[in-house]
Amino acid sequence: MTMATAVGISACGVSLQWTNPNSYSSGKGCKYAGQSVRALPIRILTVGKKRLPGVQLLVDEYIAKLKSYCHVDDVQIRSNPKNARNAMAQVDDEDIAVINLITSNDWVVILDERGLDLSSEHLAELLGDAGNTAASRLSFCIGGPYGHGQRVRKRANVSIKLSSMVLNHQIALVVLMEQIYRSWTILKGQKYHH
């Protein structure tokens, strides 16, 4: 017997609530599966060093796959932009660089090891719920080696984690891209997700 649990967040005046997340075994468990969902443009802000060619190839492949669902911008932000020797100064510099790219109409999701642990169905619902807000864009933020600064944390509408393990920013980016694609196939009721 599965115990009913609820996971919820509130953002932009809209409450996002998922009940009994353990009951989702397929895309049919997503409340938006097969329904029309407002597709917000997505911007992925990644702090880090130059990407490996294989990683960029995978990112480009997922951007191409996602074109039939929504527009995706991939924005790379240089890690430690001012070459600070102190980790806190580095985080602050990266924080300013990221926050300057976020508008007041963005619905912001940060990836953080202490964030909500969502299933693929939950991420699909997050995309659908974000589309029901007044937001004009959905921005996912992947922090640098020391994580996100306070400005980005305060601005975020929700914090999620991709794994209980800490992931390199390049690996996190590939996993996020695949999960966004998987989420759209769940929302559209397509066969990609089993």
Side-chain angles (χ1 to χ4, degrees):
M1 179 183 281
T2 304
M3 183 176 276
T5 58
V7 177
I9 55 177
S10 180
C12 297
V14 175
S15 178
L16 311 180
Q17 185 77 28
W18 303 291
T19 305
N20 198 7
N22 296 323
S23 69
Y24 297 136
S25 60
S26 72
K28 295 180 180 107
C30 175
K31 66 184 176 185
Y32 295 111
Q35 296 180 29
S36 179
V37 175
R38 178 176 162 239
L40 288 178
I42 293 175
R43 176 186 265 182
I44 301 173
L45 304 170
T46 308
V47 176
K49 296 178 182 174
K50 185 177 178 179
R51 290 189 191 145
L52 296 170
V55 170
Q56 189 60 54
L57 189 67
L58 287 169
V59 168
D60 293 342
E61 182 177 329
Y62 279 108
I63 288 173
K65 287 181 175 186
L66 284 162
K67 279 184 181 176
S68 59
Y69 306 109
C70 65
H71 178 77
V72 178
D73 282 326
D74 170 34
V75 180
Q76 298 179 60
I77 300 159
R78 185 173 165 250
S79 180
N80 198 8
K82 294 185 179 177
N83 295 318
R85 296 188 190 271
N86 175 297
M88 292 305 294
Q90 178 179 338
V91 170
D92 193 50
D93 293 342
E94 293 167 354
D95 193 38
I96 291 167
V98 172
I99 208 73
N100 285 337
L101 295 171
I102 297 172
T103 70
S104 61
N105 291 330
D106 284 9
W107 205 83
V108 180
V109 179
I110 63 170
L111 277 62
D112 184 82
E113 62 194 37
R114 294 172 301 275
L116 293 172
D117 188 13
L118 303 182
S119 67
S120 297
E121 290 85 359
H122 289 149
L123 184 59
E125 287 188 8
L126 187 148
L127 294 178
D129 286 343
N132 288 333
T133 68
S136 60
R137 179 174 53 205
L138 181 56
S139 288
F140 287 90
C141 302
I142 300 174
Y146 300 106
H148 297 287
Q150 288 306 308
R151 290 173 196 88
V152 173
R153 287 183 183 284
K154 286 178 185 172
R155 175 60 182 85
N157 296 98
V158 65
S159 173
I160 67 171
K161 66 180 177 179
L162 296 175
S163 171
S164 294
M165 296 179 280
V166 176
L167 301 174
N168 168 286
H169 68 277
Q170 294 189 48
I171 301 301
L173 174 61
V174 171
V175 172
L176 176 64
M177 296 293 291
E178 191 279 336
Q179 285 299 303
I180 292 170
Y181 175 72
R182 180 178 297 272
S183 293
W184 273 108
T185 64
I186 290 169
L187 291 169
K188 297 296 185 183
Q190 296 169 342
K191 303 261 187 224
Y192 181 78
H193 182 73
H194 300 285

